[in-house]
Amino acid sequence: DGVSFVSFYEANHDKVRRAAVAFCGDRDVAADAAQESFARAYARWRRLSRKPWAAAWVMTTALNVCKRSARSKQATVPLGPHEHTGQPVPEVERVDVARALRRLPPRRRAASVLFYIGDLPISDVAAAMRLSEGAVKAHLVLARRELRKEMERSHD
């Protein structure tokens, strides 16, 4: 159903794009990844539309596209205004968080992006990553510790 896909796209596109930017740090790669993930979802929409985790699938697909992008390895584009409020974020804080996220191991980074930026519940993150909820929680705890240490080091 094209109408329901359009509604799904409109409801989720910005969140998927923000998650991809946070994951790879490159706005162009993120935009391409978001578009590709929605194109893949559209191709599977008959089956995917009935799944409660469709948004998580699209977001995870976008992150996987970012991982495969050669450009994401060379990303140096600083983030712009804070994505949630539209207000500028101090330059140091913005760069430190983006850099710290990119230093996390891939699973911790993906779990963090899906949960904190994608705003997905633990159960959807677990389904999208094909992990148990306990494993997702463990990745989030470890990621928070690593991010905290990284941020403390950068402010010394």
Side-chain angles (χ1 to χ4, degrees), residues 97-113:
V97 172
R99 187 173 296 129
L101 264 174
R102 285 194 300 275
R103 288 184 178 152
L104 288 175
R107 283 198 171 186
R108 290 180 194 159
R109 182 174 13 146
S112 298
V113 167

Side-chain angles (χ1 to χ4, degrees), residues 64-85:
N64 288 334
V65 171
C66 285
K67 277 190 238 180
R68 286 189 293 275
S69 172
R71 289 179 59 199
S72 69
K73 290 183 177 92
Q74 300 169 354
T76 58
V77 178
L79 299 175
H82 190 271
E83 298 286 348
H84 296 292
T85 65

Side-chain angles (χ1 to χ4, degrees), residues 5-6 17 44 113 143:
F5 181 79
V6 169
R17 184 190 46 77
R44 296 167 175 77
V113 167

Side-chain angles (χ1 to χ4, degrees), residues 19-33:
V21 168
F23 188 81
C24 72
D26 185 312
R27 290 180 188 279
D28 294 331
V29 169
D32 290 346

